[in-house]
mmCIF file with all atom_site columns, all heavy atoms in Angstrom:
data_model
loop_
_atom_site.group_PDB
_atom_site.id
_atom_site.type_symbol
_atom_site.label_atom_id
_atom_site.label_alt_id
_atom_site.label_comp_id
_atom_site.label_asym_id
_atom_site.label_entity_id
_atom_site.label_seq_id
_atom_site.pdbx_PDB_ins_code
_atom_site.Cartn_x
_atom_site.Cartn_y
_atom_site.Cartn_z
_atom_site.occupancy
_atom_site.B_iso_or_equiv
_atom_site.pdbx_formal_charge
_atom_site.auth_seq_id
_atom_site.auth_comp_id
_atom_site.auth_asym_id
_atom_site.auth_atom_id
_atom_site.pdbx_PDB_model_num
ATOM 1   N N   . GLY A 1 1  ? 0.804  -1.226  -0.013 1.00 0.00 ? 299 GLY A N   1
ATOM 2   C CA  . GLY A 1 1  ? 0.022  -0.017  -0.021 1.00 0.00 ? 299 GLY A CA  1
ATOM 3   C C   . GLY A 1 1  ? 0.805  1.270   0.020  1.00 0.00 ? 299 GLY A C   1
ATOM 4   O O   . GLY A 1 1  ? 0.299  2.344   -0.062 1.00 0.00 ? 299 GLY A O   1
ATOM 5   N N   . SER A 1 2  ? 2.168  1.116   0.050  1.00 0.00 ? 300 SER A N   1
ATOM 6   C CA  . SER A 1 2  ? 3.018  2.313   0.042  1.00 0.00 ? 300 SER A CA  1
ATOM 7   C C   . SER A 1 2  ? 3.622  2.482   -1.373 1.00 0.00 ? 300 SER A C   1
ATOM 8   O O   . SER A 1 2  ? 3.455  1.639   -2.277 1.00 0.00 ? 300 SER A O   1
ATOM 9   C CB  . SER A 1 2  ? 4.173  2.156   1.080  1.00 0.00 ? 300 SER A CB  1
ATOM 10  O OG  . SER A 1 2  ? 5.139  1.214   0.598  1.00 0.00 ? 300 SER A OG  1
ATOM 11  N N   . ALA A 1 3  ? 4.425  3.523   -1.540 1.00 0.00 ? 301 ALA A N   1
ATOM 12  C CA  . ALA A 1 3  ? 5.099  3.776   -2.822 1.00 0.00 ? 301 ALA A CA  1
ATOM 13  C C   . ALA A 1 3  ? 6.155  2.711   -3.122 1.00 0.00 ? 301 ALA A C   1
ATOM 14  O O   . ALA A 1 3  ? 6.590  2.559   -4.251 1.00 0.00 ? 301 ALA A O   1
ATOM 15  C CB  . ALA A 1 3  ? 5.709  5.159   -2.823 1.00 0.00 ? 301 ALA A CB  1
ATOM 16  N N   . ARG A 1 4  ? 6.549  1.969   -2.106 1.00 0.00 ? 302 ARG A N   1
ATOM 17  C CA  . ARG A 1 4  ? 7.616  0.970   -2.250 1.00 0.00 ? 302 ARG A CA  1
ATOM 18  C C   . ARG A 1 4  ? 7.040  -0.427  -2.569 1.00 0.00 ? 302 ARG A C   1
ATOM 19  O O   . ARG A 1 4  ? 7.849  -1.356  -2.753 1.00 0.00 ? 302 ARG A O   1
ATOM 20  C CB  . ARG A 1 4  ? 8.450  0.868   -0.976 1.00 0.00 ? 302 ARG A CB  1
ATOM 21  C CG  . ARG A 1 4  ? 9.174  2.215   -0.606 1.00 0.00 ? 302 ARG A CG  1
ATOM 22  C CD  . ARG A 1 4  ? 9.972  2.024   0.702  1.00 0.00 ? 302 ARG A CD  1
ATOM 23  N NE  . ARG A 1 4  ? 10.888 0.889   0.661  1.00 0.00 ? 302 ARG A NE  1
ATOM 24  C CZ  . ARG A 1 4  ? 10.795 -0.159  1.446  1.00 0.00 ? 302 ARG A CZ  1
ATOM 25  N NH1 . ARG A 1 4  ? 9.803  -0.302  2.320  1.00 0.00 ? 302 ARG A NH1 1
ATOM 26  N NH2 . ARG A 1 4  ? 11.695 -1.121  1.344  1.00 0.00 ? 302 ARG A NH2 1
ATOM 27  N N   . GLN A 1 5  ? 5.758  -0.554  -2.593 1.00 0.00 ? 303 GLN A N   1
ATOM 28  C CA  . GLN A 1 5  ? 5.122  -1.904  -2.775 1.00 0.00 ? 303 GLN A CA  1
ATOM 29  C C   . GLN A 1 5  ? 5.681  -2.650  -3.954 1.00 0.00 ? 303 GLN A C   1
ATOM 30  O O   . GLN A 1 5  ? 6.124  -3.793  -3.831 1.00 0.00 ? 303 GLN A O   1
ATOM 31  C CB  . GLN A 1 5  ? 3.594  -1.776  -2.893 1.00 0.00 ? 303 GLN A CB  1
ATOM 32  C CG  . GLN A 1 5  ? 2.928  -3.099  -3.169 1.00 0.00 ? 303 GLN A CG  1
ATOM 33  C CD  . GLN A 1 5  ? 1.404  -2.943  -3.283 1.00 0.00 ? 303 GLN A CD  1
ATOM 34  O OE1 . GLN A 1 5  ? 0.769  -2.232  -2.506 1.00 0.00 ? 303 GLN A OE1 1
ATOM 35  N NE2 . GLN A 1 5  ? 0.839  -3.567  -4.308 1.00 0.00 ? 303 GLN A NE2 1
ATOM 36  N N   . ASP A 1 6  ? 5.644  -2.080  -5.141 1.00 0.00 ? 304 ASP A N   1
ATOM 37  C CA  . ASP A 1 6  ? 6.061  -2.769  -6.356 1.00 0.00 ? 304 ASP A CA  1
ATOM 38  C C   . ASP A 1 6  ? 7.494  -3.097  -6.328 1.00 0.00 ? 304 ASP A C   1
ATOM 39  O O   . ASP A 1 6  ? 7.901  -4.223  -6.767 1.00 0.00 ? 304 ASP A O   1
ATOM 40  C CB  . ASP A 1 6  ? 5.701  -1.923  -7.587 1.00 0.00 ? 304 ASP A CB  1
ATOM 41  C CG  . ASP A 1 6  ? 4.216  -1.772  -7.793 1.00 0.00 ? 304 ASP A CG  1
ATOM 42  O OD1 . ASP A 1 6  ? 3.479  -2.560  -7.201 1.00 0.00 ? 304 ASP A OD1 1
ATOM 43  O OD2 . ASP A 1 6  ? 3.804  -0.886  -8.592 1.00 0.00 ? 304 ASP A OD2 1
ATOM 44  N N   . GLU A 1 7  ? 8.339  -2.196  -5.864 1.00 0.00 ? 305 GLU A N   1
ATOM 45  C CA  . GLU A 1 7  ? 9.783  -2.464  -5.819 1.00 0.00 ? 305 GLU A CA  1
ATOM 46  C C   . GLU A 1 7  ? 10.129 -3.598  -4.890 1.00 0.00 ? 305 GLU A C   1
ATOM 47  O O   . GLU A 1 7  ? 10.890 -4.521  -5.192 1.00 0.00 ? 305 GLU A O   1
ATOM 48  C CB  . GLU A 1 7  ? 10.519 -1.172  -5.376 1.00 0.00 ? 305 GLU A CB  1
ATOM 49  C CG  . GLU A 1 7  ? 11.997 -1.382  -5.223 1.00 0.00 ? 305 GLU A CG  1
ATOM 50  C CD  . GLU A 1 7  ? 12.458 -1.769  -3.803 1.00 0.00 ? 305 GLU A CD  1
ATOM 51  O OE1 . GLU A 1 7  ? 11.907 -1.260  -2.824 1.00 0.00 ? 305 GLU A OE1 1
ATOM 52  O OE2 . GLU A 1 7  ? 13.310 -2.686  -3.718 1.00 0.00 ? 305 GLU A OE2 1
ATOM 53  N N   . VAL A 1 8  ? 9.472  -3.623  -3.707 1.00 0.00 ? 306 VAL A N   1
ATOM 54  C CA  . VAL A 1 8  ? 9.789  -4.658  -2.700 1.00 0.00 ? 306 VAL A CA  1
ATOM 55  C C   . VAL A 1 8  ? 9.310  -5.986  -3.201 1.00 0.00 ? 306 VAL A C   1
ATOM 56  O O   . VAL A 1 8  ? 9.967  -7.050  -3.065 1.00 0.00 ? 306 VAL A O   1
ATOM 57  C CB  . VAL A 1 8  ? 9.185  -4.283  -1.336 1.00 0.00 ? 306 VAL A CB  1
ATOM 58  C CG1 . VAL A 1 8  ? 9.332  -5.462  -0.346 1.00 0.00 ? 306 VAL A CG1 1
ATOM 59  C CG2 . VAL A 1 8  ? 9.827  -3.080  -0.767 1.00 0.00 ? 306 VAL A CG2 1
ATOM 60  N N   . MET A 1 9  ? 8.048  -6.031  -3.779 1.00 0.00 ? 307 MET A N   1
ATOM 61  C CA  . MET A 1 9  ? 7.477  -7.259  -4.315 1.00 0.00 ? 307 MET A CA  1
ATOM 62  C C   . MET A 1 9  ? 8.379  -7.837  -5.382 1.00 0.00 ? 307 MET A C   1
ATOM 63  O O   . MET A 1 9  ? 8.724  -9.061  -5.398 1.00 0.00 ? 307 MET A O   1
ATOM 64  C CB  . MET A 1 9  ? 6.057  -6.990  -4.889 1.00 0.00 ? 307 MET A CB  1
ATOM 65  C CG  . MET A 1 9  ? 5.374  -8.212  -5.343 1.00 0.00 ? 307 MET A CG  1
ATOM 66  S SD  . MET A 1 9  ? 4.918  -9.319  -4.001 1.00 0.00 ? 307 MET A SD  1
ATOM 67  C CE  . MET A 1 9  ? 3.360  -10.050 -4.557 1.00 0.00 ? 307 MET A CE  1
ATOM 68  N N   . ALA A 1 10 ? 8.832  -7.015  -6.311 1.00 0.00 ? 308 ALA A N   1
ATOM 69  C CA  . ALA A 1 10 ? 9.667  -7.462  -7.434 1.00 0.00 ? 308 ALA A CA  1
ATOM 70  C C   . ALA A 1 10 ? 11.042 -8.027  -6.946 1.00 0.00 ? 308 ALA A C   1
ATOM 71  O O   . ALA A 1 10 ? 11.569 -8.957  -7.503 1.00 0.00 ? 308 ALA A O   1
ATOM 72  C CB  . ALA A 1 10 ? 9.889  -6.383  -8.414 1.00 0.00 ? 308 ALA A CB  1
ATOM 73  N N   . ARG A 1 11 ? 11.547 -7.438  -5.857 1.00 0.00 ? 309 ARG A N   1
ATOM 74  C CA  . ARG A 1 11 ? 12.806 -7.806  -5.302 1.00 0.00 ? 309 ARG A CA  1
ATOM 75  C C   . ARG A 1 11 ? 12.737 -9.056  -4.481 1.00 0.00 ? 309 ARG A C   1
ATOM 76  O O   . ARG A 1 11 ? 13.581 -10.007 -4.556 1.00 0.00 ? 309 ARG A O   1
ATOM 77  C CB  . ARG A 1 11 ? 13.448 -6.648  -4.551 1.00 0.00 ? 309 ARG A CB  1
ATOM 78  C CG  . ARG A 1 11 ? 14.772 -7.030  -3.838 1.00 0.00 ? 309 ARG A CG  1
ATOM 79  C CD  . ARG A 1 11 ? 15.416 -5.795  -3.225 1.00 0.00 ? 309 ARG A CD  1
ATOM 80  N NE  . ARG A 1 11 ? 14.513 -5.036  -2.420 1.00 0.00 ? 309 ARG A NE  1
ATOM 81  C CZ  . ARG A 1 11 ? 14.216 -5.266  -1.134 1.00 0.00 ? 309 ARG A CZ  1
ATOM 82  N NH1 . ARG A 1 11 ? 14.703 -6.353  -0.550 1.00 0.00 ? 309 ARG A NH1 1
ATOM 83  N NH2 . ARG A 1 11 ? 13.378 -4.492  -0.449 1.00 0.00 ? 309 ARG A NH2 1
ATOM 84  N N   . VAL A 1 12 ? 11.712 -9.126  -3.633 1.00 0.00 ? 310 VAL A N   1
ATOM 85  C CA  . VAL A 1 12 ? 11.657 -10.244 -2.585 1.00 0.00 ? 310 VAL A CA  1
ATOM 86  C C   . VAL A 1 12 ? 10.948 -11.454 -3.124 1.00 0.00 ? 310 VAL A C   1
ATOM 87  O O   . VAL A 1 12 ? 11.404 -12.612 -2.845 1.00 0.00 ? 310 VAL A O   1
ATOM 88  C CB  . VAL A 1 12 ? 10.943 -9.710  -1.328 1.00 0.00 ? 310 VAL A CB  1
ATOM 89  C CG1 . VAL A 1 12 ? 10.774 -10.816 -0.316 1.00 0.00 ? 310 VAL A CG1 1
ATOM 90  C CG2 . VAL A 1 12 ? 11.716 -8.529  -0.732 1.00 0.00 ? 310 VAL A CG2 1
ATOM 91  N N   . TRP A 1 13 ? 9.843  -11.340 -3.858 1.00 0.00 ? 311 TRP A N   1
ATOM 92  C CA  . TRP A 1 13 ? 9.059  -12.474 -4.210 1.00 0.00 ? 311 TRP A CA  1
ATOM 93  C C   . TRP A 1 13 ? 9.828  -13.556 -4.954 1.00 0.00 ? 311 TRP A C   1
ATOM 94  O O   . TRP A 1 13 ? 9.687  -14.757 -4.582 1.00 0.00 ? 311 TRP A O   1
ATOM 95  C CB  . TRP A 1 13 ? 7.838  -12.035 -5.074 1.00 0.00 ? 311 TRP A CB  1
ATOM 96  C CG  . TRP A 1 13 ? 6.867  -13.124 -5.310 1.00 0.00 ? 311 TRP A CG  1
ATOM 97  C CD1 . TRP A 1 13 ? 6.709  -13.905 -6.446 1.00 0.00 ? 311 TRP A CD1 1
ATOM 98  C CD2 . TRP A 1 13 ? 5.805  -13.540 -4.471 1.00 0.00 ? 311 TRP A CD2 1
ATOM 99  N NE1 . TRP A 1 13 ? 5.690  -14.776 -6.314 1.00 0.00 ? 311 TRP A NE1 1
ATOM 100 C CE2 . TRP A 1 13 ? 5.115  -14.595 -5.092 1.00 0.00 ? 311 TRP A CE2 1
ATOM 101 C CE3 . TRP A 1 13 ? 5.385  -13.127 -3.132 1.00 0.00 ? 311 TRP A CE3 1
ATOM 102 C CZ2 . TRP A 1 13 ? 4.001  -15.251 -4.506 1.00 0.00 ? 311 TRP A CZ2 1
ATOM 103 C CZ3 . TRP A 1 13 ? 4.333  -13.818 -2.593 1.00 0.00 ? 311 TRP A CZ3 1
ATOM 104 C CH2 . TRP A 1 13 ? 3.651  -14.843 -3.236 1.00 0.00 ? 311 TRP A CH2 1
ATOM 105 N N   . PRO A 1 14 ? 10.701 -13.267 -5.941 1.00 0.00 ? 312 PRO A N   1
ATOM 106 C CA  . PRO A 1 14 ? 11.448 -14.309 -6.583 1.00 0.00 ? 312 PRO A CA  1
ATOM 107 C C   . PRO A 1 14 ? 12.356 -15.130 -5.704 1.00 0.00 ? 312 PRO A C   1
ATOM 108 O O   . PRO A 1 14 ? 12.742 -16.223 -6.042 1.00 0.00 ? 312 PRO A O   1
ATOM 109 C CB  . PRO A 1 14 ? 12.266 -13.583 -7.634 1.00 0.00 ? 312 PRO A CB  1
ATOM 110 C CG  . PRO A 1 14 ? 11.540 -12.273 -7.856 1.00 0.00 ? 312 PRO A CG  1
ATOM 111 C CD  . PRO A 1 14 ? 11.001 -11.958 -6.538 1.00 0.00 ? 312 PRO A CD  1
ATOM 112 N N   . THR A 1 15 ? 12.705 -14.585 -4.545 1.00 0.00 ? 313 THR A N   1
ATOM 113 C CA  . THR A 1 15 ? 13.625 -15.284 -3.616 1.00 0.00 ? 313 THR A CA  1
ATOM 114 C C   . THR A 1 15 ? 12.909 -16.235 -2.655 1.00 0.00 ? 313 THR A C   1
ATOM 115 O O   . THR A 1 15 ? 13.538 -17.006 -1.960 1.00 0.00 ? 313 THR A O   1
ATOM 116 C CB  . THR A 1 15 ? 14.396 -14.269 -2.776 1.00 0.00 ? 313 THR A CB  1
ATOM 117 O OG1 . THR A 1 15 ? 13.514 -13.653 -1.806 1.00 0.00 ? 313 THR A OG1 1
ATOM 118 C CG2 . THR A 1 15 ? 15.052 -13.217 -3.639 1.00 0.00 ? 313 THR A CG2 1
ATOM 119 N N   . LEU A 1 16 ? 11.571 -16.216 -2.630 1.00 0.00 ? 314 LEU A N   1
ATOM 120 C CA  . LEU A 1 16 ? 10.823 -16.959 -1.675 1.00 0.00 ? 314 LEU A CA  1
ATOM 121 C C   . LEU A 1 16 ? 10.783 -18.446 -2.009 1.00 0.00 ? 314 LEU A C   1
ATOM 122 O O   . LEU A 1 16 ? 10.730 -18.870 -3.175 1.00 0.00 ? 314 LEU A O   1
ATOM 123 C CB  . LEU A 1 16 ? 9.379  -16.449 -1.574 1.00 0.00 ? 314 LEU A CB  1
ATOM 124 C CG  . LEU A 1 16 ? 9.222  -15.001 -1.144 1.00 0.00 ? 314 LEU A CG  1
ATOM 125 C CD1 . LEU A 1 16 ? 7.747  -14.600 -1.073 1.00 0.00 ? 314 LEU A CD1 1
ATOM 126 C CD2 . LEU A 1 16 ? 9.901  -14.734 0.189  1.00 0.00 ? 314 LEU A CD2 1
ATOM 127 N N   . LYS A 1 17 ? 10.777 -19.257 -0.972 1.00 0.00 ? 315 LYS A N   1
ATOM 128 C CA  . LYS A 1 17 ? 10.742 -20.711 -1.120 1.00 0.00 ? 315 LYS A CA  1
ATOM 129 C C   . LYS A 1 17 ? 9.386  -21.184 -1.630 1.00 0.00 ? 315 LYS A C   1
ATOM 130 O O   . LYS A 1 17 ? 8.355  -20.688 -1.184 1.00 0.00 ? 315 LYS A O   1
ATOM 131 C CB  . LYS A 1 17 ? 11.059 -21.374 0.213  1.00 0.00 ? 315 LYS A CB  1
ATOM 132 C CG  . LYS A 1 17 ? 11.051 -22.899 0.212  1.00 0.00 ? 315 LYS A CG  1
ATOM 133 C CD  . LYS A 1 17 ? 11.372 -23.437 1.609  1.00 0.00 ? 315 LYS A CD  1
ATOM 134 C CE  . LYS A 1 17 ? 11.309 -24.956 1.615  1.00 0.00 ? 315 LYS A CE  1
ATOM 135 N NZ  . LYS A 1 17 ? 11.664 -25.477 2.969  1.00 0.00 ? 315 LYS A NZ  1
ATOM 136 N N   . LYS A 1 18 ? 9.384  -22.169 -2.513 1.00 0.00 ? 316 LYS A N   1
ATOM 137 C CA  . LYS A 1 18 ? 8.142  -22.791 -2.953 1.00 0.00 ? 316 LYS A CA  1
ATOM 138 C C   . LYS A 1 18 ? 7.807  -23.948 -2.028 1.00 0.00 ? 316 LYS A C   1
ATOM 139 O O   . LYS A 1 18 ? 8.568  -24.931 -1.968 1.00 0.00 ? 316 LYS A O   1
ATOM 140 C CB  . LYS A 1 18 ? 8.268  -23.341 -4.401 1.00 0.00 ? 316 LYS A CB  1
ATOM 141 C CG  . LYS A 1 18 ? 8.164  -22.295 -5.483 1.00 0.00 ? 316 LYS A CG  1
ATOM 142 C CD  . LYS A 1 18 ? 8.079  -22.967 -6.839 1.00 0.00 ? 316 LYS A CD  1
ATOM 143 C CE  . LYS A 1 18 ? 7.810  -21.938 -7.934 1.00 0.00 ? 316 LYS A CE  1
ATOM 144 N NZ  . LYS A 1 18 ? 7.703  -22.638 -9.250 1.00 0.00 ? 316 LYS A NZ  1
ATOM 145 N N   . THR A 1 19 ? 6.711  -23.876 -1.298 1.00 0.00 ? 317 THR A N   1
ATOM 146 C CA  . THR A 1 19 ? 6.274  -24.948 -0.454 1.00 0.00 ? 317 THR A CA  1
ATOM 147 C C   . THR A 1 19 ? 4.771  -24.827 -0.161 1.00 0.00 ? 317 THR A C   1
ATOM 148 O O   . THR A 1 19 ? 4.216  -23.721 -0.335 1.00 0.00 ? 317 THR A O   1
ATOM 149 C CB  . THR A 1 19 ? 7.078  -24.994 0.862  1.00 0.00 ? 317 THR A CB  1
ATOM 150 O OG1 . THR A 1 19 ? 6.715  -26.144 1.625  1.00 0.00 ? 317 THR A OG1 1
ATOM 151 C CG2 . THR A 1 19 ? 6.794  -23.747 1.721  1.00 0.00 ? 317 THR A CG2 1
ATOM 152 N N   . ALA A 1 20 ? 4.188  -25.927 0.178  1.00 0.00 ? 318 ALA A N   1
ATOM 153 C CA  . ALA A 1 20 ? 2.737  -25.914 0.437  1.00 0.00 ? 318 ALA A CA  1
ATOM 154 C C   . ALA A 1 20 ? 2.468  -25.478 1.836  1.00 0.00 ? 318 ALA A C   1
ATOM 155 O O   . ALA A 1 20 ? 3.209  -25.713 2.781  1.00 0.00 ? 318 ALA A O   1
ATOM 156 C CB  . ALA A 1 20 ? 2.146  -27.290 0.134  1.00 0.00 ? 318 ALA A CB  1
ATOM 157 N N   . ILE A 1 21 ? 1.282  -24.867 2.059  1.00 0.00 ? 319 ILE A N   1
ATOM 158 C CA  . ILE A 1 21 ? 0.847  -24.444 3.379  1.00 0.00 ? 319 ILE A CA  1
ATOM 159 C C   . ILE A 1 21 ? 0.729  -25.629 4.329  1.00 0.00 ? 319 ILE A C   1
ATOM 160 O O   . ILE A 1 21 ? 0.937  -25.521 5.541  1.00 0.00 ? 319 ILE A O   1
ATOM 161 C CB  . ILE A 1 21 ? -0.469 -23.613 3.315  1.00 0.00 ? 319 ILE A CB  1
ATOM 162 C CG1 . ILE A 1 21 ? -0.779 -22.908 4.632  1.00 0.00 ? 319 ILE A CG1 1
ATOM 163 C CG2 . ILE A 1 21 ? -1.618 -24.544 2.918  1.00 0.00 ? 319 ILE A CG2 1
ATOM 164 C CD1 . ILE A 1 21 ? 0.114  -21.709 4.853  1.00 0.00 ? 319 ILE A CD1 1
ATOM 165 N N   . ASP A 1 22 ? 0.411  -26.805 3.784  1.00 0.00 ? 320 ASP A N   1
ATOM 166 C CA  . ASP A 1 22 ? 0.304  -28.005 4.590  1.00 0.00 ? 320 ASP A CA  1
ATOM 167 C C   . ASP A 1 22 ? 1.613  -28.291 5.279  1.00 0.00 ? 320 ASP A C   1
ATOM 168 O O   . ASP A 1 22 ? 1.677  -28.637 6.512  1.00 0.00 ? 320 ASP A O   1
ATOM 169 C CB  . ASP A 1 22 ? -0.091 -29.217 3.749  1.00 0.00 ? 320 ASP A CB  1
ATOM 170 C CG  . ASP A 1 22 ? -1.400 -28.999 2.996  1.00 0.00 ? 320 ASP A CG  1
ATOM 171 O OD1 . ASP A 1 22 ? -1.442 -28.166 2.089  1.00 0.00 ? 320 ASP A OD1 1
ATOM 172 O OD2 . ASP A 1 22 ? -2.397 -29.637 3.363  1.00 0.00 ? 320 ASP A OD2 1
ATOM 173 N N   . TYR A 1 23 ? 2.729  -28.188 4.563  1.00 0.00 ? 321 TYR A N   1
ATOM 174 C CA  . TYR A 1 23 ? 4.044  -28.563 5.096  1.00 0.00 ? 321 TYR A CA  1
ATOM 175 C C   . TYR A 1 23 ? 4.614  -27.430 5.958  1.00 0.00 ? 321 TYR A C   1
ATOM 176 O O   . TYR A 1 23 ? 5.213  -27.668 6.996  1.00 0.00 ? 321 TYR A O   1
ATOM 177 C CB  . TYR A 1 23 ? 5.051  -28.863 3.991  1.00 0.00 ? 321 TYR A CB  1
ATOM 178 C CG  . TYR A 1 23 ? 4.632  -29.959 3.047  1.00 0.00 ? 321 TYR A CG  1
ATOM 179 C CD1 . TYR A 1 23 ? 4.754  -29.825 1.667  1.00 0.00 ? 321 TYR A CD1 1
ATOM 180 C CD2 . TYR A 1 23 ? 4.074  -31.119 3.529  1.00 0.00 ? 321 TYR A CD2 1
ATOM 181 C CE1 . TYR A 1 23 ? 4.353  -30.831 0.804  1.00 0.00 ? 321 TYR A CE1 1
ATOM 182 C CE2 . TYR A 1 23 ? 3.637  -32.146 2.704  1.00 0.00 ? 321 TYR A CE2 1
ATOM 183 C CZ  . TYR A 1 23 ? 3.781  -32.004 1.329  1.00 0.00 ? 321 TYR A CZ  1
ATOM 184 O OH  . TYR A 1 23 ? 3.395  -32.989 0.505  1.00 0.00 ? 321 TYR A OH  1
ATOM 185 N N   . ALA A 1 24 ? 4.313  -26.202 5.550  1.00 0.00 ? 322 ALA A N   1
ATOM 186 C CA  . ALA A 1 24 ? 4.918  -25.040 6.244  1.00 0.00 ? 322 ALA A CA  1
ATOM 187 C C   . ALA A 1 24 ? 4.189  -24.671 7.546  1.00 0.00 ? 322 ALA A C   1
ATOM 188 O O   . ALA A 1 24 ? 4.810  -24.157 8.436  1.00 0.00 ? 322 ALA A O   1
ATOM 189 C CB  . ALA A 1 24 ? 4.925  -23.797 5.265  1.00 0.00 ? 322 ALA A CB  1
ATOM 190 N N   . VAL A 1 25 ? 2.876  -24.983 7.537  1.00 0.00 ? 323 VAL A N   1
ATOM 191 C CA  . VAL A 1 25 ? 2.092  -24.572 8.754  1.00 0.00 ? 323 VAL A CA  1
ATOM 192 C C   . VAL A 1 25 ? 1.241  -25.669 9.319  1.00 0.00 ? 323 VAL A C   1
ATOM 193 O O   . VAL A 1 25 ? 1.356  -26.008 10.500 1.00 0.00 ? 323 VAL A O   1
ATOM 194 C CB  . VAL A 1 25 ? 1.151  -23.328 8.372  1.00 0.00 ? 323 VAL A CB  1
ATOM 195 C CG1 . VAL A 1 25 ? 0.219  -23.020 9.514  1.00 0.00 ? 323 VAL A CG1 1
ATOM 196 C CG2 . VAL A 1 25 ? 2.006  -22.135 7.990  1.00 0.00 ? 323 VAL A CG2 1
#
């Protein structure tokens, strides 16, 4: 919701681990 939203999403999202909510939580 801030002016940094798109920049942070583009930078951080590709680095996130792929896993299912069943295993993670």
Side-chain angles (χ1 to χ4, degrees):
S300 75
R302 299 179 55 244
Q303 175 181 317
D304 292 345
E305 176 270 318
V306 174
M307 185 68 148
R309 174 172 51 81
V310 176
W311 190 261
T313 70
L314 299 179
K315 179 180 179 179
K316 280 188 175 183
T317 186
I319 193 73
D320 302 70
Y321 303 135
V323 173

